[in-house]
Amino acid sequence: QLHAAPFERSASAEGGGPLRVSTDSLPAHFLRCAFCMLARVMALQGGEERAGGMQAACGYGVFDVLHRELGVSMELFASPLNARFSRFCSAALDVDAPFGSIGSFFSPRLTQRLSQGSFEANPPYDPPLVSAM
């Protein structure tokens, strides 16, 4: 069973109502996409369900302030399970795209799109990755 919370989007941050997910009315295609995305997350966590909580994520209140005060409307390191905005960069475009990912922050095809604007970046705490930013 899917839980709606990871797929909800803030009305204040997006300018629209939250997306509610009910497995009773979901098409099979969405369920296949959700399975693939969740399987990838589980694989990246080494098969440990609780490993995903080992990050220092910002709370929704922080995102609301960043959006309101600085015009932030996209995260550069997110997943469908923790993204605050409808469009975000993630490590797994192949399975995250149906949920709003535009690809990796490091993708050359995004250079132009990310060349101006306000973005939130909370990368994994890996020194080479942070240095590459």
Side-chain angles (χ1 to χ4, degrees):
Q1 175 181 353
L2 291 176
H3 296 282
F7 300 100
E8 292 179 1
R9 302 288 187 243
S10 164
S12 63
E14 293 295 323
L19 169 67
R20 302 280 181 205
V21 176
S22 167
T23 57
D24 296 337
S25 62
L26 291 175
H29 176 71
F30 178 86
L31 293 175
R32 283 192 298 274
C33 290
F35 173 82
C36 290
M37 180 269 300
L38 292 169
R40 174 69 58 85
V41 168
M42 182 66 78
L44 291 173
Q45 293 177 177
E48 176 56 48
E49 292 177 14
R50 295 177 291 174
M54 297 168 24
Q55 63 177 329
C58 297
Y60 278 178
V62 172
F63 286 97
D64 290 341
V65 171
L66 290 172
H67 178 72
R68 184 178 61 248
E69 301 296 327
L70 301 174
V72 171
S73 60
M74 188 184 314
E75 296 166 78
L76 302 181
F77 297 90
S79 83
L81 298 179
N82 69 6
R84 176 64 169 171
F85 303 113
S86 61
R87 293 283 177 222
F88 55 92
C89 293
S90 73
L93 178 64
D94 60 330
V95 294
D96 294 347
F99 303 99
S101 175
I102 63 167
S104 169
F105 165 74
F106 297 107
S107 173
R109 70 177 184 76
L110 295 179
T111 301
Q112 180 68 25
R113 184 170 186 174
L114 300 176
S115 66
Q116 57 184 349
S118 295
F119 309 99
E120 186 272 348
N122 188 9
Y125 300 114
D126 177 61
L129 187 140
V130 173
S131 293
M133 292 178 63

